[in-house]
């Protein structure tokens, strides 16, 4: 049975992953949290999952590379530097990074890319997300993933088009931009709405997470799929065959 090591094992996600792993046919090799050495776990797990914090990512990647153990990264709030480190690690081990491991959001990303491509830049795109009061990063990793899908559909990059949380006298909207708004409160698991606003009509594509097990199941499926894969950077759509 494939043994999964969890970075961030005592957190909200880590605990759900440990609970549902046996249902998906996996066992848990162990867990690591803040101020613990990530290296021994990388050596005795078959595959690692990281749902911790961006500041720990570099050490987790180094441990995975040193042990030759594949790594699924679910942690969000990553910077371009983190993504460069992931690309470098993926030259040595199999790595899958995604802001959302659920089936629903993975499919939503594909639908958003297609809609953006077909509608063109004259349809304004705004992405609204809401999460629980404990979430520390904004926009959410999922919102950014959806924004990247929309930008790809339009043949551009999110870096060129991104506008975060407007406030004050910001002026009229610039065509082609992709706006982000983040709400925080209560116990919301994760809601995302992608609004395509055209002349006299709107299309809204969205997803509501009702339970963290949707992310945990996806993470375990990704880990089982990634174990034994050659070095490279893989996607959740490949795991789910979408
Ligand atoms: N991709 C996806 O589908 C999803 C991604 N996420 C993302 O996963 C991450 C974790 O979310 P969540 O579980 O809610 O957060 P929590 O804050 O509940 O858990 C984070 C865990 O990481 C641990 N941690 C902190 N620093 C380190 C470190 N240096 N090394 C190892 N572990 C460390 C914390 O330990 P301690 O308490 O000791 O500090 C804690 O147990 C977030 O970035 C979130 O956005 C969440 C849900 C789905
Ligand atoms: O922190 C969370 O809870 C979640 N984080 C991910 C994100 O940033 O998109 C995924 C999910 O929405 C829950």
């Amino acid at each position: 049975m494939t043994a999964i090591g969890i970075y961030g094992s005592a957190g909200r996600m880590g605990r759900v992953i440990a609970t549902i792993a046996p249902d998906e046919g996996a066992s848990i090799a162990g867990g690591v949290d803040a101020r613990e050495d990530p290296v021994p776990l990388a050596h005795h797990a078959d595959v690692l999952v990281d749902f911790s914090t961006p500041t720990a990512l570099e050490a987790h990647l180094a441990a995975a590379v040193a042990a030759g153990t594949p790594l699924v990264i679910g942690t969000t709030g990553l910077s371009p530097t983190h993504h460069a480190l992931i690309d470098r690690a993926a030259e040595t081990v199999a790595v899958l990074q995604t802001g959302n491991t659920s089936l629903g959001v993975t499919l939503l990303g594909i639908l958003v890319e297609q809609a953006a491509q077909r509608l063109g830049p004259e349809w304004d795109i705004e992405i609204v997300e809401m999460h629980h009061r404990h979430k520390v990063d904004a926009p959410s990793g999922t919102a950014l993933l959806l924004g990247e899908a929309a930008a790809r559909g339009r043949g551009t990059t999110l870096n060129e088009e991104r506008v975060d949380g407007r406030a004050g006298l910001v002026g009229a909207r610039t065509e082609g931009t992709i706006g982000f708004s983040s709400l925080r409160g209560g116990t919301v698991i994760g809601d995302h709405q992608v609004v395509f606003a055209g002349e006299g009509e709107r299309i809204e594509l969205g997803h509501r997470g009702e339970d963290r097990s949707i992310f945990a199941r996806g993470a375990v499926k990704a880990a089982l799929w990634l174990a034994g894969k050659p070095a490279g950077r893989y996607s959740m759509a490949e795991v789910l065959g979408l």
Side-chain angles (χ1 to χ4, degrees):
M1 194 181 272
T2 304
I4 300 176
I6 307 175
Y7 291 145
S9 59
R12 282 175 288 273
M13 276 303 297
R15 282 175 282 144
V16 186
I17 289 169
T19 305
I20 65 103
D23 303 342
E24 299 288 330
S27 64
I28 298 301
V32 164
D33 285 281
R35 294 169 294 281
E36 292 174 347
D37 184 358
V39 173
L41 181 60
H43 283 278
H44 70 255
D46 297 316
V47 57
L48 297 156
V49 298
D50 182 344
F51 286 83
S52 62
T53 181
T55 53
L57 182 65
E58 187 165 5
H60 295 168
L61 285 168
V65 165
T69 307
L71 175 64
V72 175
I73 302 163
T75 300
T76 59
L78 304 182
S79 66
T81 306
H82 290 121
H83 282 284
L85 290 169
I86 294 168
D87 286 337
R88 175 128 29 100
E91 291 168 12
T92 309
V93 287
V95 184
L96 185 154
Q97 178 275 324
T98 178
N100 198 306
T101 47
S102 74
L103 170 62
V105 164
T106 306
L107 177 60
L108 179 62
I110 294 167
L111 299 176
V112 165
E113 181 173 346
Q114 287 181 2
Q117 190 216 325
R118 282 155 195 256
L119 293 171
E122 54 282 4
W123 283 67
D124 301 328
I125 299 179
E126 293 288 316
I127 301 179
V128 185
E129 54 104 343
M130 181 160 187
H131 284 84
H132 52 93
R133 60 170 72 96
H134 301 292
K135 186 161 179 62
V136 294
D137 55 308
S140 69
T142 307
L144 294 172
L145 167 169
L146 295 170
E148 275 155 13
R152 218 170 27 249
R154 284 177 169 177
T156 179
T157 65
L158 185 57
N159 273 350
E160 293 171 80
E161 311 298 354
R162 175 174 171 175
V163 175
D164 284 0
R166 302 177 187 83
L169 199 61
V170 294
R173 199 178 195 286
T174 305
E175 184 176 290
T177 51
I178 298 175
F180 291 87
S181 304
S182 298
L183 313 179
R184 294 288 175 266
T187 55
V188 177
I189 297 293
D191 289 354
H192 293 88
Q193 202 73 14
V194 182
V195 182
F196 294 83
E199 291 296 325
E201 54 183 333
R202 281 197 306 280
I203 299 168
E204 297 180 1
L205 300 177
H207 177 268
R208 291 185 198 279
E210 296 174 356
D211 193 288
R212 276 191 186 85
S213 63
I214 61 168
F215 311 128
R217 262 199 308 278
V220 173
K221 279 190 205 304
L224 291 172
W225 184 89
L226 204 63
K229 283 272 185 303
R233 189 164 174 169
Y234 297 92
S235 73
M236 207 55 212
E238 289 174 282
V239 172
L240 298 171
L242 293 175

